[in-house]
Amino acid sequence: FEPSLSPSESSSAAITTCEDSGGDADGDVDADVDVDADGDVDADGDVDADGDVDADGDVDADGDVDADADIEPQPSILQTVVDHHSTNSTDFELVPGAELSFETSADESWLLFISARLLSTCSACTTSLIEAQYLVNGEERGIGGVETENYDSLLDGGPWQHFWFVEGSDGTMDVEVRLRVVYGAEAHIDDLRMVAVRLPDGADPHYASHDDEQVTGDENWEELLQLDLPADTAGDYVIFGLANGRENTGGITALLRWHDPQSPGDDEYWPPIIPGELTSLGTPRQVWQSHFVARRVSLDGEVASYTLEGKAGTGTARYLYSRLLAFRVDAWGPDFGYDFDREG
């Protein structure tokens, strides 16, 4: 915000030099004019204590902004970092400092990304379970959990990665992270990062979600979510895939995979199928473990579809917060970087 007049222009415009307006014989400005001896604007001047600009250049009591003030735009990336927190609570408890607020408007798209390491330190427990959640304006928008077996050191634990996408919304988003013990003893959260990013113009986001719980009870793979990209979608895109899973009955692992029929061969499924080693992602216990994948793809302008699939084997499995997001790479400019290490 830049007003049309600076403070010096406002003051000088009020000074007159004719004899009946306060100019005395020696040419000084006397007590009757608008600027007093110490250079401030006095009570009889054009800009007084109740006016738009006060003497110290701050916003005055009427809430007006002075001529020197600038309104800073909100950054396009905001971040909160918490190094460590622990709790023994079996109810979700706010992680101190784990709060982030950002403003959205109807013509913007924002991506909220959460990552951390979760750990339970119960050396006497065969199994320990903990969960973390994040709320946006008081409503849960994501969750994560890990199981620690036969705790040995603080190097144990597992990852929590989650994202939430919002567009076409006008208002303030207040985010907070909470932590609890599900079974066992102390719950720890390390290296927590909460990052809100406004997607640049031209990112062309496409989003599909099924946040409500889904249950599978079939030994075959079932479709949980599908994202369709229209025929005019061409170029390099990044695909984010997310889901939480847990067993439901029978001690059966909840299995997950993402299907990319546009990339036949080893890349058709995420994670890639390695016979005898890796065929899917799985959650064997009763916490909402999160699974996140990110992949860069090149689209040729044909219709493209991506699906999230789940399978339980015998028994049933449960899934929550199934999400797929695609956005253009070149909208971020030439400095956008993306690395993928299949071995690591």
Side-chain angles (χ1 to χ4, degrees):
F1 171 72
E2 294 291 346
S4 59
L5 293 178
S6 67
S8 59
E9 289 172 326
S10 298
S11 299
S12 62
I15 298 176
T16 58
T17 57
C18 59
E19 188 174 15
D20 60 358
S21 298
D24 61 11
D26 59 5
D28 295 330
V29 179
D30 65 18
D32 294 329
V33 297
D34 296 334
V35 179
D36 62 18
D38 61 3
D40 295 328
V41 180
D42 65 16
D44 296 327
D46 289 339
V47 185
D48 62 13
D50 293 330
D52 291 341
V53 182
D54 64 3
D56 60 5
D58 295 327
V59 178
D60 63 16
D62 292 336
D64 299 307
V65 181
D66 69 5
D68 292 330
D70 292 321
I71 299 176
E72 293 292 335
Q74 178 181 236
S76 59
I77 301 177
L78 301 99
Q79 177 176 248
T80 294
V81 178
V82 176
D83 291 336
H84 176 78
H85 177 67
S86 62
T87 181
N88 290 311
S89 174
T90 55
D91 296 321
F92 278 115
E93 177 183 271
L94 177 66
V95 175
E99 297 173 287
L100 176 68
S101 295
F102 59 99
E103 301 288 336
T104 63
S105 64
D107 60 348
E108 294 178 343
S109 301
W110 283 80
L111 175 64
L112 174 67
F113 192 76
I114 306 286
S115 66
R117 185 171 70 102
L118 302 177
L119 172 69
S120 178
T121 57
C122 179
S123 58
C125 302
T126 303
T127 299
S128 296
L129 307 171
I130 69 168
E131 285 183 329
Q133 65 172 185
Y134 63 95
L135 282 63
V136 180
N137 295 343
E139 181 179 353
E140 184 185 280
R141 293 294 187 177
I143 196 169
V146 299
E147 172 190 4
T148 301
E149 293 186 349
N150 300 314
Y151 165 74
D152 181 60
S153 74
L154 288 175
L155 297 178
D156 290 340
W160 178 35
Q161 297 168 320
H162 222 274
F163 75 86
W164 180 64
F165 177 72
V166 57
E167 66 177 346
S169 181
D170 194 352
T172 302
M173 302 296 163
D174 294 321
V175 188
E176 62 182 40
V177 172
R178 297 174 177 267
L179 181 68
R180 74 170 179 177
V181 174
V182 177
Y183 175 80
E186 202 169 54
H188 293 252
I189 186 168
D190 294 328
D191 300 325
L192 170 64
R193 295 181 182 272
M194 312 162 62
V195 182
V197 181
R198 182 178 63 81
L199 272 64
D201 295 338
D204 187 32
H206 298 267
Y207 182 61
S209 66
H210 193 295
D211 286 354
D212 294 335
E213 184 176 317
Q214 300 178 80
V215 177
T216 64
D218 197 325
E219 295 185 14
N220 299 315
W221 288 102
E222 294 185 24
E223 181 181 302
L224 302 174
L225 181 69
Q226 180 169 314
L227 173 66
D228 295 319
L229 303 182
D232 60 352
T233 307
D236 286 355
Y237 280 71
V238 168
I239 311 291
F240 282 175
L242 171 73
N244 291 88
R246 59 174 288 181
E247 67 176 20
N248 189 29
T249 60
I252 300 303
T253 298
L255 301 175
L256 282 166
R257 70 181 184 185
W258 284 264
H259 186 202
D260 175 10
Q262 291 77 221
S263 302
D266 292 341
D267 293 328
E268 183 173 357
Y269 291 96
W270 316 340
I273 294 176
I274 304 175
E277 296 183 30
L278 179 67
T279 59
S280 61
L281 300 174
T283 303
R285 291 293 182 267
Q286 297 171 358
V287 289
W288 286 109
Q289 185 171 337
S290 64
H291 299 279
F292 170 81
V293 295
R295 187 155 184 188
R296 182 170 179 164
V297 297
S298 294
L299 303 178
D300 57 8
E302 300 295 328
V303 175
S305 296
Y306 301 90
T307 58
L308 168 64
E309 300 174 347
K311 184 175 74 168
T314 58
T316 57
R318 302 162 63 188
Y319 302 94
L320 197 65
Y321 298 117
S322 301
R323 295 170 183 169
L324 282 163
L325 172 67
F327 55 84
R328 291 188 66 90
V329 171
D330 57 11
W332 301 83
D335 296 330
F336 180 84
Y338 183 88
D339 293 318
F340 174 66
D341 179 5
R342 173 173 288 185
E343 301 301 324

